[in-house]
Amino acid sequence: MGEATVSIIENMERRTVDAFVKKAVELDHELLEINVKPVSLVHIGRDENGNGIAASGEAIEEMPKKRLAKGDSICLDFGDHHVGYVTLKLASAGSPQDAPAFLRLKFAEIANEILDDSSTYEGWISKGWIQEEFIHIDVLPCELKLPRRYAFRYLEVYAIDTSPKFQVVVEDAALTAVSAVSMEDVKPLEGLPEDLQKIDRASLKTLQDCMQYVFEDGPKRDRRLWIGDLRLQAKANYATFKNYDLVKRCMYLFAGLTRGDGKIGACLFTEPVMQVDDTFLWDYSLFFVSILYDYYQETKDLEIVKELWPTAYCQIRLALDDMKDGVLDTEKFELLAFIDWKEGLDRQAAAQGVWIYCLRHGKILAELVGDTEALETIEKLLTEALENAVSHFWDEEQGFFVSGSRRQVSWSSQAWMVLADVFDKEKSRKLMLHLLEENPEVGVATPYAYHHVIEALLHVDEKDKALELMRTYWGGMIGLGADTFWEAFDPKDTNASPYGNAQVNSFCHAWSCTPAWLLREYF
């Protein structure tokens, strides 16, 4: 770590950092609550491709008439994806209750989750994220208030066991749904085809359900504030709900809860105490610069730029610690930058694009606050970064940016170099068209990476191509019954998961909400 960087960190005195956390706390807020009732009973089965599907069942008024003996179940459809707290009113029927009722409650964001068997789960992250409860009810009737918060549309109540003498009756079910914003605050897009309106609506619902006390990455999992998600959520929020205080709160939290070395962590915990996670991603820390830049572009609030500029500039200086010969040293750690979950992805070239992208934003911020020393440093870094992007990564013969020792050609590398404006617009446009034509094998695994491909196409004025991909990708989730958009989606493999098993996938995930922004910004 250089002397200048050490000086920057030392200047970010503890009292300043504590003041940021205090400001974040002052921007805390009560969540909006709405009461939601199930709209019908449904039967969950599989379509011809093996995907879960909710088939029409019975009117919700039939629910109190259902008697659940051992092995019986009902599935409640709440009509849309929601985040909140559930209360069930339960009773018994038949002879007097002579044993505890043993129930399984399964909450599902998509129909497929009702069919999943959690006992078969062998992924590499905790199965504790699977929304399933096993409950003994000693005395019926009762009002069962579940203390956990759930993210779901469907709720299955399954009687594991009762006794031969009595049955369980679900007399009523209610959900208190929570969010920082209301869907009523955003006018739906008009004048667009129905499929794009559906994509917009699901994007808005995704963003709404991820906007809680912070911008969560997913209300089912991980329920944390991740900075990569925050950057995209904030931009979508500016075009829709316009909750600026929530963005400010999150920026103050990241600035106030840095690691000991001054680096911004990839994510934060807010419970039981506010603290930075030990996960670090190089590109995510740099995105603090872009989040601050985007906030200024939207609000013209120069005061917060002056407050947070030292933290932002610190990330630029600290990023150099993980670079070698002017590029990210991924030999040290392959996942030093995130970029995407795509298996086998070499991230070095795309990371160079992120570096240039954030340096450009940092240059503008330095000019705004009048930091001439930082401006001079950033201008020098930017010149070197652009030269290195071409000398290290551009393959003239292939007409692609290549990455790493394997000289890999990937979609993400091209998208980020285009967003970084390494070449002029016309050459970048030809690169993106070449990408679509050649369709390299190393594609994308998440809406996060797919967004950057589409944004790169829009950046070079290829609106029709961008719209076609949006319809194929986000429209593909709509075709599978999505009310909100997913963390990971492979149209060729709907059960794809970065975690080894789709049961822990998030089906309402922050980084997939961007069509609501792109449609308003470009169409």
Side-chain angles (χ1 to χ4, degrees):
M1 191 183 300
E3 291 183 8
T5 304
V6 172
S7 176
I8 292 170
I9 296 171
E10 289 176 347
N11 287 335
M12 294 169 63
E13 298 179 17
R14 185 73 253 164
R15 62 177 180 270
T16 302
V17 171
D18 289 342
F20 289 156
V21 175
K22 182 181 178 184
K23 288 189 174 186
V25 171
E26 290 171 352
L27 288 166
D28 203 354
H29 51 276
E30 294 295 326
L31 297 180
L32 303 177
E33 296 183 355
I34 59 170
N35 296 318
V36 182
K37 291 283 191 176
V39 297
S40 67
L41 300 176
V42 292
H43 299 295
I44 305 294
R46 297 194 185 276
D47 63 17
E48 63 276 9
N49 298 312
N51 298 308
I53 186 170
S56 298
E58 300 174 74
I60 196 63
E61 289 77 16
E62 298 298 308
M63 182 173 69
K65 302 176 185 177
K66 302 292 182 181
R67 295 186 171 195
L68 304 182
K70 179 179 179 179
D72 292 335
S73 66
I74 55 172
C75 187
L76 288 60
D77 180 3
F78 281 76
D80 202 350
H81 187 280
H82 296 287
V83 177
Y85 302 87
V86 170
T87 298
L88 297 176
K89 187 177 179 182
L90 304 175
S92 65
S95 299
Q97 181 185 3
D98 61 340
F102 186 21
L103 305 178
R104 183 191 69 198
L105 307 179
K106 185 181 284 192
F107 297 84
E109 295 187 298
I110 62 171
N112 216 53
E113 291 179 284
I114 295 294
L115 303 174
D116 290 334
D117 181 357
S118 63
S119 68
T120 66
Y121 176 75
E122 294 182 350
W124 60 267
I125 61 175
S126 172
K127 70 183 296 182
W129 289 115
I130 297 173
Q131 300 183 111
E132 189 173 51
E133 307 292 351
F134 295 86
I135 297 175
H136 291 82
I137 308 293
D138 292 310
V139 179
L140 293 168
C142 77
E143 184 176 79
L144 178 63
K145 289 188 175 182
L146 298 167
R148 290 196 74 217
R149 195 195 74 184
Y150 302 95
F152 71 104
R153 172 173 176 169
Y154 303 104
L155 165 57
E156 182 191 62
V157 181
Y158 173 74
I160 298 174
D161 210 346
T162 54
S163 84
K165 298 185 67 176
F166 80 97
Q167 303 85 44
V168 174
V169 176
V170 183
E171 293 187 328
D172 194 19
L175 163 69
T176 301
V178 293
S179 173
V181 293
S182 171
M183 289 286 282
E184 296 178 359
D185 294 336
V186 182
K187 292 182 179 179
L189 290 176
E190 298 177 355
L192 289 179
E194 184 179 356
D195 66 327
L196 294 181
Q197 291 186 41
K198 288 182 178 180
I199 289 173
D200 179 60
R201 204 271 175 193
S203 301
L204 288 171
K205 195 71 177 75
T206 302
L207 181 58
Q208 180 204 24
D209 284 355
C210 291
M211 291 176 71
Q212 301 291 331
Y213 291 112
V214 294
F215 282 95
E216 295 182 357
D217 67 321
K220 169 189 170 182
R221 205 218 80 244
D222 296 321
R223 303 185 180 188
R224 269 180 275 168
L225 172 58
W226 286 80
I227 198 164
D229 298 76
L230 172 61
R231 182 177 67 91
L232 297 183
Q233 285 173 290
K235 290 178 79 73
N237 169 60
Y238 300 150
T240 56
F241 297 107
K242 299 187 182 299
N243 188 326
Y244 302 129
D245 280 353
L246 192 58
V247 182
K248 285 176 66 175
R249 172 172 158 80
C250 294
M251 289 195 295
Y252 280 132
L253 284 173
F254 275 114
L257 298 170
T258 55
R259 303 185 338 162
D261 58 3
K263 291 181 179 180
I264 285 178
C267 67
L268 302 176
F269 294 96
T270 56
E271 294 178 318
V273 296
M274 293 181 176
Q275 59 183 318
V276 63
D277 189 21
D278 55 9
T279 303
F280 174 76
L281 295 169
W282 184 85
D283 49 341
Y284 274 31
S285 69
L286 280 169
F287 281 141
F288 186 83
V289 180
S290 291
I291 292 167
L292 184 57
Y293 167 84
D294 290 336
Y295 186 83
Y296 175 78
Q297 294 300 320
E298 174 67 19
T299 67
K300 305 305 179 188
D301 183 350
L302 186 57
E303 289 307 308
I304 197 170
V305 175
K306 291 178 179 177
E307 275 187 290
L308 298 182
W309 169 242
T311 305
Y313 183 46
C314 187
Q315 306 317 303
I316 292 174
R317 296 303 301 256
L318 290 170
L320 297 170
D321 293 346
D322 294 309
M323 300 180 75
K324 181 180 178 181
D325 299 326
V327 300
L328 185 65
D329 185 10
T330 50
E331 292 182 6
K332 178 167 58 174
F333 178 44
E334 186 179 3
L335 197 56
L336 189 55
F338 173 66
I339 307 299
D340 188 26
W341 274 125
K342 182 65 178 178
E343 186 176 354
L345 174 66
D346 190 291
R347 295 166 169 85
Q348 193 175 56
Q352 189 73 7
V354 171
W355 175 231
I356 296 167
Y357 179 87
C358 294
L359 285 174
R360 291 190 185 281
H361 291 164
K363 178 183 175 182
I364 294 171
L365 293 176
E367 290 171 342
L368 283 169
V369 301
D371 189 342
T372 55
E373 184 179 342
L375 179 59
E376 183 179 342
T377 299
I378 291 172
E379 286 178 335
K380 181 181 178 182
L381 290 172
L382 183 55
T383 299
E384 293 173 352
L386 286 165
E387 292 173 353
N388 289 329
V390 177
S391 62
H392 279 76
F393 302 110
W394 179 246
D395 186 320
E396 185 66 36
E397 183 176 345
Q398 293 191 72
F400 282 125
F401 287 98
V402 297
S403 186
S405 59
R406 294 169 291 168
R407 298 179 64 77
Q408 180 190 86
V409 176
S410 73
W411 284 59
S412 289
S413 293
Q414 318 316 313
W416 271 112
M417 290 296 198
V418 167
L419 291 171
D421 289 318
V422 173
F423 294 141
D424 62 39
K425 180 175 283 189
E426 181 56 25
K427 189 168 183 177
S428 291
R429 188 182 72 83
K430 290 179 180 178
L431 170 59
M432 291 305 296
L433 293 177
H434 184 42
L435 175 69
L436 296 180
E437 182 180 351
E438 293 296 322
N439 189 16
E441 182 180 352
V442 184
V444 297
T446 62
Y448 176 78
Y450 218 91
H451 162 86
H452 294 116
V453 172
I454 289 178
E455 189 181 0
L457 285 167
L458 293 169
H459 192 61
V460 296
D461 299 329
E462 285 292 338
K463 292 175 66 174
D464 289 344
K465 300 290 187 183
L467 200 58
E468 183 180 341
L469 290 185
M470 187 184 294
R471 282 182 151 131
T472 300
Y473 195 73
W474 277 270
M477 287 182 264
I478 293 288
L480 291 170
D483 302 298
T484 53
F485 290 130
W486 307 348
E487 174 183 17
F489 177 56
D490 182 349
K492 297 177 182 178
D493 180 8
T494 56
N495 287 312
S497 172
Y499 313 112
N501 192 301
Q503 290 188 58
V504 292
N505 282 12
S506 169
F507 296 100
C508 173
H509 210 75
W511 66 27
S512 66
C513 72
T514 56
W517 158 42
L518 298 177
L519 288 171
R520 284 166 176 77
E521 180 74 16
Y522 294 96
F523 299 98

